[in-house]
Amino acid sequence: MSQKPAIVIAGAEPAGLVAANMLYRDGFDVTVFESDTSATSRDQGGMLDLHVPDGQLALKKAGLLDAFMAVARHDDQEMRDIDWATGRVLREDIPAPSTGERPEIDRLALRELLLKPLPAGRVVWGARIATVSRTPRGRRVVHLQDGRTHECDLVIGADGAGSAVRAALTDVRPVYTGVTFVELWISDVDRRHPAIARQVGRGTLMSLGTGQAKGTALFAQRNGHALVRSYAAFSTDADDTDRPEKTLAGLTKQDLLARFSGWSPTLLALIENAERIAAVRPIVALPAGTRWPATPGLTLVGDAAHVMPPMGIGVNLAMLDAAELAEAVASRADWQAAVQAQERAMLDRAADTSEPCMSAFRAWFGLM
């Protein structure tokens, strides 16, 4: 087992690209298959705050921490908790300029940073994985939806909540939590909507409904280029079913405002002044403690392994998963044993995190 394995990584999101950088640096034949047709073909979503013990540690292991610090938005770490009914600030955390341990970065900027060290061809765009099979000799075959195949020794599923690689390991699938986030955009916010810019500040705003508004919440983030992304979140009722991306596909701003009746006008301005509804995002999660039998040549990291509600930890855990896996593969001649040992450690960590994460999320929306 001393020969270096040929590796396929499913997904060019932060976790997959962290692993790709480290494995390529250490001389492995690594290929990333990504369903996006290019690095910029799809909106990547809101900003990320990377934490010192996991997300930043992963970048350090990949040799990219200094590059991250050079482009991260250090002054966008403010946090405000706003009363849903009055619009009054209940709590705020405003670090001194150029301080704070969780600098923000837009997802696209992070993808660009992680792609830069990889030579052309290492990431194959427009390549959606359909299934993964095994040859009689024990190697893995990745089958793409367009009919192409690729043989390798190890497949790392970093392909998110809807992971195709996970299907080769377990029948367990993410379950709808009962909460949907509706994403809205306000661009050029400082010039066009200065009151909203002041309310959101340089960072994140959150407001959780209580009493008659229980089950609703509003979040807003200042992204780069004077863009505010807001998320109108609500627990769904029986009429919405468990597929709100379909049943709520025709949702309008007026429909949203009806769900937020009684909220402060200053907070409702995040909905009223939005240019459009950018996405309807049903929040899903894998059951806490999800595991699968150790399987030669297959493993998962990040949301593919342990998707949780969006509580600010997912991408950080995913990047650390990937960095530790890459280290394990590179550091031991018996790379199969190294993969299995790292997988156990990752799942133990996820089990310790997912239950309190889900409990806190359910409490936010009165789902206890």
Side-chain angles (χ1 to χ4, degrees), residues 232-293:
F234 49 86
S235 56
T236 55
D237 55 35
D239 292 337
D240 292 327
T241 76
D242 62 349
R243 296 295 304 278
E245 73 277 18
K246 294 185 179 295
T247 58
L248 300 178
L251 196 72
T252 67
K253 289 198 297 182
Q254 290 305 311
D255 295 331
L256 271 181
L257 289 168
R259 288 178 179 267
F260 286 80
S261 176
W263 277 65
S264 165
T266 60
L267 290 167
L268 292 180
L270 293 166
I271 299 174
E272 293 169 338
N273 292 285
E275 291 141 33
R276 65 188 180 96
I277 291 177
V280 175
R281 304 187 185 279
I283 304 304
V284 301
L286 280 166
T290 293
R291 295 177 183 268
W292 52 86

Side-chain angles (χ1 to χ4, degrees), residues 172-232:
V172 178
R173 299 290 182 269
V175 177
Y176 178 52
T177 62
V179 174
T180 290
F181 280 33
V182 178
E183 181 178 334
L184 307 110
W185 292 3
I186 302 176
S187 62
D188 196 13
V189 66
D190 298 299
R191 183 182 67 83
R192 296 176 57 238
H193 300 286
I196 291 175
R198 288 191 297 271
Q199 180 176 236
V200 175
R202 305 291 306 186
T204 300
L205 171 154
M206 66 178 293
S207 183
L208 303 178
T210 58
Q212 69 183 60
K214 192 70 173 177
T216 56
L218 280 170
F219 307 93
Q221 297 178 331
R222 172 177 283 270
N223 287 206
H225 310 292
L227 173 68
V228 164
R229 293 180 192 254
S230 300
Y231 302 88

Side-chain angles (χ1 to χ4, degrees), residues 77-362:
Q77 300 181 62
E78 297 178 7
M79 173 66 77
R80 286 179 173 81
D81 186 2
I82 308 293
D83 182 81
W84 71 273
T86 66
R88 181 171 58 89
V89 176
L90 300 176
R91 179 181 62 86
E92 62 182 358
D93 180 11
I94 304 178
S98 301
T99 65
E101 295 186 337
R102 296 182 175 185
E104 303 281 356
I105 189 169
D106 287 353
R107 288 174 182 267
L108 179 58
L110 181 58
R111 174 179 263 189
E112 291 172 343
L113 183 153
L114 290 166
L115 285 170
K116 191 172 183 179
L118 296 172
R122 287 293 167 179
V123 178
V124 181
W125 301 99
R128 183 180 295 276
I129 293 176
T131 59
V132 180
S133 64
R134 188 179 185 186
T135 72
R137 297 178 59 187
R139 300 195 84 203
R140 290 291 167 178
V141 181
V142 173
H143 301 263
L144 303 181
Q145 286 190 348
D146 61 11
R148 288 177 291 172
T149 60
H150 186 97
E151 194 169 308
C152 63
D153 300 295
L154 173 64
V155 180
I156 300 172
D159 47 344
S163 173
V165 179
R166 188 198 305 117
L169 289 166
T170 175
D171 293 332
V172 178
R173 299 290 182 269
V175 177
Y176 178 52
T177 62
V179 174
T180 290
F181 280 33
V182 178
E183 181 178 334
L184 307 110
W185 292 3
I186 302 176
S187 62
D188 196 13
V189 66
D190 298 299
R191 183 182 67 83
R192 296 176 57 238
H193 300 286
I196 291 175
R198 288 191 297 271
Q199 180 176 236
V200 175
R202 305 291 306 186
T204 300
L205 171 154
M206 66 178 293
S207 183
L208 303 178
T210 58
Q212 69 183 60
K214 192 70 173 177
T216 56
L218 280 170
F219 307 93
Q221 297 178 331
R222 172 177 283 270
N223 287 206
H225 310 292
L227 173 68
V228 164
R229 293 180 192 254
S230 300
Y231 302 88
F234 49 86
S235 56
T236 55
D237 55 35
D239 292 337
D240 292 327
T241 76
D242 62 349
R243 296 295 304 278
E245 73 277 18
K246 294 185 179 295
T247 58
L248 300 178
L251 196 72
T252 67
K253 289 198 297 182
Q254 290 305 311
D255 295 331
L256 271 181
L257 289 168
R259 288 178 179 267
F260 286 80
S261 176
W263 277 65
S264 165
T266 60
L267 290 167
L268 292 180
L270 293 166
I271 299 174
E272 293 169 338
N273 292 285
E275 291 141 33
R276 65 188 180 96
I277 291 177
V280 175
R281 304 187 185 279
I283 304 304
V284 301
L286 280 166
T290 293
R291 295 177 183 268
W292 52 86
T295 305
L298 289 177
T299 194
L300 306 173
V301 294
D303 282 356
H306 49 68
V307 64
M308 305 173 197
M311 303 288 284
I313 58 177
V315 72
N316 286 280
L317 284 181
M319 292 170 69
L320 184 59
D321 292 347
E324 290 181 345
L325 175 61
E327 278 188 331
V329 171
S331 65
R332 290 175 58 177
D334 187 351
W335 59 267
Q336 294 273 28
V339 167
Q340 293 178 14
Q342 187 278 337
E343 189 174 83
R344 289 192 296 271
M346 173 191 69
L347 293 175
D348 287 345
R349 177 170 58 212
D352 290 340
T353 306
S354 59
E355 187 60 47
C357 176
M358 178 56 81
S359 294
F361 185 76
R362 291 178 65 85

